[in-house]
Amino acid sequence: MRGAIYTVLAIILCALQTTIFEHLSFFGTVPNLLIGLVVCVALTRSALEGGAIGLLCGIFIDVLGRGTFGVNALLFLYIGVALGLVSNKFYRIRGLVVFAFAFLSNFVYAFLMFFFKFYIWGYGNMLAALAKKIIPETIYTAVFSVLILFLIRSINKRVMGEEA
Amino acid sequence: MKELFTNKHFILLLVVTLILLVMAALYTTERESVTFGEDLIASIITPMQSLFTNITDGITGFFGYFTDVDAIKEENKQKTEEIQKLKSTIRQLEQYKLENERLKRMLDLRETLADFELVGAEVIGKDPGSWYSSFTISKGTSDGLAVKQPVITSSGLVGHIYEIGTNWAKVISIIDVGSSVGAMVVRTRDVAVVESDVDLQQEGLCKLTYLSKNASLISGDIVETSGLGGIYPKGLLIGKIREVKPETAGISQYAIIEPAVDFQRISEVFVITNYPSR
C-alpha cells in the first residue's frame, strides 16, 4: 500500500516538475521535487525504502530526460540509502532537518552532474553555474522538500493511520 | 568486513548498482528505439504531463484576463485607430499579393516548406533535469514520426527528435549543450556550426562556432541551416547574430545567436516527417 502511494506520488511530482513548475521558475530554475521526495521518504522511513524510492525517481528522470540512462538512478539510489542510514540519528524528523538534508543532497547532486557532464569537457563556467543554477535550484528544492514532508506526514496519517 | 558482505541489503545494493552500470554502458550510444520498459514508464507519465500542461495553460489564460485589464483598454483604443489605417493598407496589399503571386509563378519560385510533410504536436513536458534543453512532444511512432526528424515552429528551427516511443517523442533543441547544427550566414554565405554551452543555454541563446577570422559578420545577420550534416534541410531559419567575439586562441571567431524560436514559451511544434529521406 505504502509503496503504491509513494509510486503515484513520484509520478505526480515528476509530471508537476516538468510542466507546471516550468512556469513557476525561481531565477530560471525549477525545484527538483523528486529529490525532495527521496529525502523525505529516506529520513522518515528507512535506508531500504529510501533506496527503493530513490531508484524509482532516478529511473523516471533517466527515462524522461536526456543523458546516459542509469546515472540519475544511481545517484538517487545512493542519496536514498545514505539518508536512510542517518535517519535514526534524529529523534524526530523536523522541517529544518529535511531542509538541511535536501539542500545538501541537491547541492551534491547538481554539482556532480555539472562537474562530470559539462565542466570537465569545457562546456561551462563553475562560478556562473553555482550562482545562476546550482544554488538557486538547491534553495528552491529545499523549500519544497519541507512541503513534501508535510504532504507525506499527512498521507501517512490519513491513509495509513500512522502517527506522524 | 565479512559481515558487510553477508548483509542482504548490502548485496542488493551492489547488484542494483551493477545492473545500472551495465545499462548505462549499454545505452550510452545513440539509439534508434527505446526499450519496452522505458516506453511503458514514459507512456504512464506523459498523459499526466499532458493533463498538467492543459491545466497550466487554462490557469495562465484565465488570470491573464484580470491582470491585463488596463493594458487591454488602452490597447483596444489604439487598435481601433490602427484597424482603420490597416483596412486601406490591406486593399493595397491585396493588389501587391496578386502581383507577387504572378511573379512567383513566372520565376518558378517554390516556397521552402512546400516540399515538407509536417505533423503538428504539442509540447507536453520539459526535461526533468535542469542541465538540458530538451522536451517531450505528444506524438510518436504511431503518428509516423521517427528519430532524427527535424522539428520546427512557424518562427524557425527548434531541433530534432532523438528518442521516440509509441505516443511520445523527445526533442533536443538547438540551444542544448549536446546539439550541433550545420549553419550558414545568409548575407556572407559563411558556413559554420551552431552549438551551445551551459551559460548560453540558460539565457536561451546559442553560438556560431568555427568561423574564419576573416568572416565579416555583423549584428543582425540572419543565420539559417546549411543542409550539411544530414539531419536538417537547407534554408530553415535559426536566428540572428547578436554579437561577434574572437576565440580565446585568436585564430578564429564565434558569434552569439538569438534563436528565432522563443524556447521558454514553446507550446506547439511541427515535425518534418519526410526529411531526412530514408
Side-chain angles (χ1 to χ4, degrees), chain B residues 125-174:
Chain B
K126 299 286 171 73
D127 191 299
S130 51
W131 300 107
Y132 295 108
S133 179
S134 64
F135 53 86
T136 309
I137 58 173
S138 60
K139 301 268 172 78
T141 48
S142 58
D143 303 284
L145 307 192
V147 170
K148 289 186 181 171
Q149 284 176 342
V151 179
I152 59 170
T153 67
S154 53
S155 306
L157 181 66
V158 172
H160 71 270
I161 294 173
Y162 73 93
E163 210 168 277
I164 193 160
T166 316
N167 53 7
W168 56 272
K170 286 196 266 181
V171 176
I172 177 174
S173 76
I174 57 168

Side-chain angles (χ1 to χ4, degrees), chain A residues 103-124:
Chain A
F103 189 95
L104 182 70
S105 304
N106 195 78
F107 185 84
V108 171
Y109 167 73
F111 182 84
L112 288 176
M113 292 294 276
F114 173 70
F115 188 81
F116 287 108
K117 287 194 161 187
F118 304 105
Y119 186 71
I120 58 172
W121 309 106
Y123 285 117

